[in-house]
Amino acid sequence: MPTIRVVALLLGCMLAASCTTKPPTSDARVCDKLDALAQSVQPGQSKTVRLVRGGTWMVDHYKKCEHVDGDAAAEQFCQWLIENSSTEFMEVNINRTVSCLQGQRIVGYIGNTSVESWSGKARFSMPKLTADVEVEIEYSVDYVTNEKEDFIQFKVIAD
């Protein structure tokens, strides 16, 4: 009997490992939504959308999305972000975005990873997105001081 359990365990591990090579659906959906936003940016223009998370989880937490009022594409992207992004773990949202734009992600479970703080800024040119468009992301997570809002900001720039 132990042999059957070992074989079952090995098969389970192999199956799980094969799944990690393919980006999760949520990563691909971020790309699709970013592409829709990118298609709305006119040459020589840019659009900025900022997803913010603040407060103390399960006490007074909140999530909001900021953009230029009256921009339908930015409004749609914001609405999608509000409905499809993590409120508890901003690093999950960052990881999904990097996976979309760079084609790789932090492998394994990302939420509640003991990330104390994580910030950065990067610019990507991706053939997946509309031609002649770059996406600049800026992000900040700080669970140590918890004095400021965590965010990820998307700036789509058309040449």
Side-chain angles (χ1 to χ4, degrees), residues 2-97:
T3 305
I4 292 173
R5 288 183 184 164
V6 170
V7 170
L9 179 62
L10 286 173
L11 286 174
C13 288
M14 288 170 46
L15 179 60
S18 68
C19 294
T20 61
T21 60
K22 176 179 122 178
T25 303
S26 57
D27 295 351
R29 289 174 63 206
V30 171
C31 282
D32 293 344
K33 299 304 178 181
L34 265 174
D35 190 48
L37 179 64
Q39 289 177 25
S40 75
V41 180
Q42 299 300 313
Q45 302 292 314
S46 68
K47 291 186 181 183
T48 302
V49 171
R50 183 180 181 100
L51 179 66
V52 177
R53 186 203 73 80
T56 304
W57 180 247
M58 300 299 285
V59 177
D60 62 352
H61 69 279
Y62 60 90
K63 181 169 54 173
K64 63 183 177 180
C65 191
E66 303 165 346
H67 63 89
V68 174
D69 289 333
D71 186 301
E75 175 63 34
Q76 288 176 349
F77 186 52
C78 267
Q79 187 61 38
W80 184 86
L81 286 170
I82 291 294
E83 294 172 5
N84 295 281
S85 61
S86 174
T87 304
E88 188 174 8
F89 302 112
M90 182 57 77
E91 65 269 23
V92 170
N93 305 321
I94 296 165
N95 197 29
R96 287 177 178 161
T97 302

Side-chain angles (χ1 to χ4, degrees), residues 87-113:
T87 304
E88 188 174 8
F89 302 112
M90 182 57 77
E91 65 269 23
V92 170
N93 305 321
I94 296 165
N95 197 29
R96 287 177 178 161
T97 302
V98 170
S99 174
C100 161
L101 295 170
Q102 187 171 301
Q104 67 184 28
R105 71 187 338 251
I106 297 171
V107 178
Y109 184 64
I110 185 72
N112 198 18
T113 56

